[in-house]
Amino acid sequence: MSSQTIKEVDAVVLGAGFAGLYMLHQLRSKGFSTIVYEAGDGVGGVWYWNRYPGARCDIESIYYNYTFSKELYEEWTWTSRFPEQAEILRYLNYVADRFQLRSDIQFNTRVTAAHFDEKQHKWMIHLNDGQYILTRYFITGIGCLSAANVPNIQGLQQFNGKWYHTGHWPHEKVDFTGKRVGIIGTGSSGIQAIPVIAKEAEQLTVFQRTPQYTIPARNHAYEEDFIKETKKNFEAIKRSMRNSVSGTPFAQNQQSAMEEPDDKRQAVFEKAWAQGGFAFSATYHDLLTNEQSNEKAAEFIRSKIRQIVKDPVVAEKLCPKYMYGTKRQVLDSDYFETYNRENVLLVDVKESPIQKITGEGIQTADNHFDLEIIIFATGYDGMTGPLFKIDIRGRNGVSLKEKWKDGAAVQTYLGLTTAGFPNLFMITGPESPSVLVNMPIAIEQHVEWIAECMHYLREHDIDLVEPTIEAEEAWSTHCRDVANATLYVKGDSWYTGANIEGKPRSFLIYLGGFDYYTKYCNEVAQNNYVGFKLMKLKSIS
Ligand code: NAP
């Protein structure tokens, strides 16, 4: 390390998305000097990077926003039910300006490493420009899906055309007009992009490994009266989201799908299909715990695919056979209809695997497909991937990657902290409800808890907070027990890490319900942070 003067702050926050922006706002209001580092040249996080055609949120806009400020909620008007990426990005820029956050955000800066210095009892943060910064608290707000997965397919470097990953889309428009385009991947990103690209490209070839259960989003513009009513009901909406299982104001039907007569169940599914959005997954409480109920939902969606897609061979290839919901249920706009277009071709790569990428396109076991553009909609190394991209080292120089290495289960306390890494907080970290809750609401809960915790520590002259091994073992066991009672763990998806070659399989999302989780976290705080070691430097040295 050089002898340069090292800047020091109370808190370093990583990422200027929903999490980082609100964390900064909270810490400032409590008088902590804070700096946010952001790799991009603007705010937005996932909504800054995911600019691919068709990108939109799958949570309704009136719920997919901050609730910490009534004024903000009243000032901002969403235009449609499921907001487009550009609109969400505008919203987050508005928030950054509204609360004058930019002055404490350093853009175009990547944190490469964060090491806990045991002599100073502080974190030394290493930046990509060679600078260092010292901080008492280190807080990650880097999301669960920011480490893009570009599969290691032989020959990509030889490809003469252009290629893109959906999560690192260029800022300028990619023109597909008159082009032969190939897209690999049919998760949420691929399913949103395919119908839009198909309208522009000369030919779109979809390389599908696993078909998906997707429900029509039924997006529409909002009416003025509806928005007025929503704003009027802000407090009630906020309360119901914050006290709910999923961070949205929707109650789940408490009935089992198997208790319902066939005709009634069919009518319930039909209604949810017509309504669009996530209503379908809330039709019965046991779709993800009872295999028979699950199969009823799965078969309903397959029947819809067979109705929509005209070519029965293509329709059958598009019918998923795995358990409904064990991969994230997708919302789409005209996805299955797109396969009725003459310029769209479906290639089943389980039947005929991709062998290599050539200068001119993609070679599968049976065919060569000439392409000018290849799009990787191949997802992310979820949950731990973003954290592992940074060399985070706690006590004794042990890295997070080593602590959670191959097969050794990830262990956290509350999905927020981990033993051996004092004063590290992970917003929406592994083993918290994160991606199975409406994210802005999950983020607000974490941010407020962290800020309160830091305030408490300062008020009590406590310098370090770190979970005990016992507390984190108990939390991780509870987390696994809850997950193991569901069908989620049986799926091969980024939820379980099965999408990344060699990644140990583990389900790292807390499924006990957002309401229960919030109550639990609050009780930990009210009981003087039970499960944490609270350390005063005076008594350490
Ligand atoms: P994803 O759900 O993980 O889907 C990746 C797709 O790529 C899958 O179809 C996968 O097939 C395929 N794939 C991966 N490697 C492949 C290979 N080597 N060869 C062929 N196919 C391959 O990723 P995503 O679509 O980016 O979505 C990730 C998550 O981001 C979503 O679940 C959601 O939580 C979030 N997201 C949300 C929205 C929204 O709000 N609307 C939009 C986009 C993303 P397999 O299934 O066989 O692995």
Side-chain angles (χ1 to χ4, degrees), residues 172-239:
E172 59 283 4
K173 180 177 160 42
V174 176
D175 189 4
F176 298 105
T177 319
K179 297 272 193 308
R180 292 184 306 279
V181 182
I183 182 164
I184 305 177
T186 50
S188 303
S189 306
I191 284 177
Q192 287 186 334
I194 286 164
V196 181
I197 298 172
K199 286 190 191 137
E200 210 178 293
E202 180 185 305
Q203 171 73 36
L204 177 65
T205 307
V206 180
F207 297 87
Q208 171 193 273
R209 189 163 68 183
T210 311
Q212 270 278 11
Y213 295 102
T214 159
I215 306 281
R218 311 238 184 259
N219 186 39
H220 56 76
Y222 278 142
E223 310 233 327
E224 219 179 300
D225 286 352
F226 174 79
I227 288 288
K228 259 193 208 149
E229 199 53 28
T230 305
K231 289 185 181 181
K232 219 167 78 195
N233 291 332
F234 168 73
E235 295 295 353
I237 292 173
K238 172 178 175 174
R239 223 177 9 259

Side-chain angles (χ1 to χ4, degrees), residues 46-47 50 52 54-59 64 82-83 88 145 149-153 165-167 183-192 207-212 278 322 327-332 349-350 354 376-381 435-436 492-495 498-501:
V46 73
W47 300 108
N50 278 262
Y52 61 85
R56 0 177 130 251
C57 184
D58 57 8
I59 304 285
Y64 190 83
F82 293 104
I88 306 172
L145 291 162
N149 168 42
V150 178
N152 187 15
I153 303 175
H165 186 282
T166 47
I183 182 164
I184 305 177
T186 50
S188 303
S189 306
I191 284 177
Q192 287 186 334
F207 297 87
Q208 171 193 273
R209 189 163 68 183
T210 311
Q212 270 278 11
F278 276 113
Y322 63 89
K327 288 180 190 285
R328 189 183 180 87
Q329 185 210 279
V330 179
L331 301 186
D332 74 88
V349 300
K350 267 206 177 126
I354 295 177
F376 290 92
T378 42
Y380 300 86
D381 179 356
V435 293
L436 285 171
D492 288 337
S493 68
W494 64 265
Y495 285 163
N499 64 327
I500 301 295
E501 223 180 299

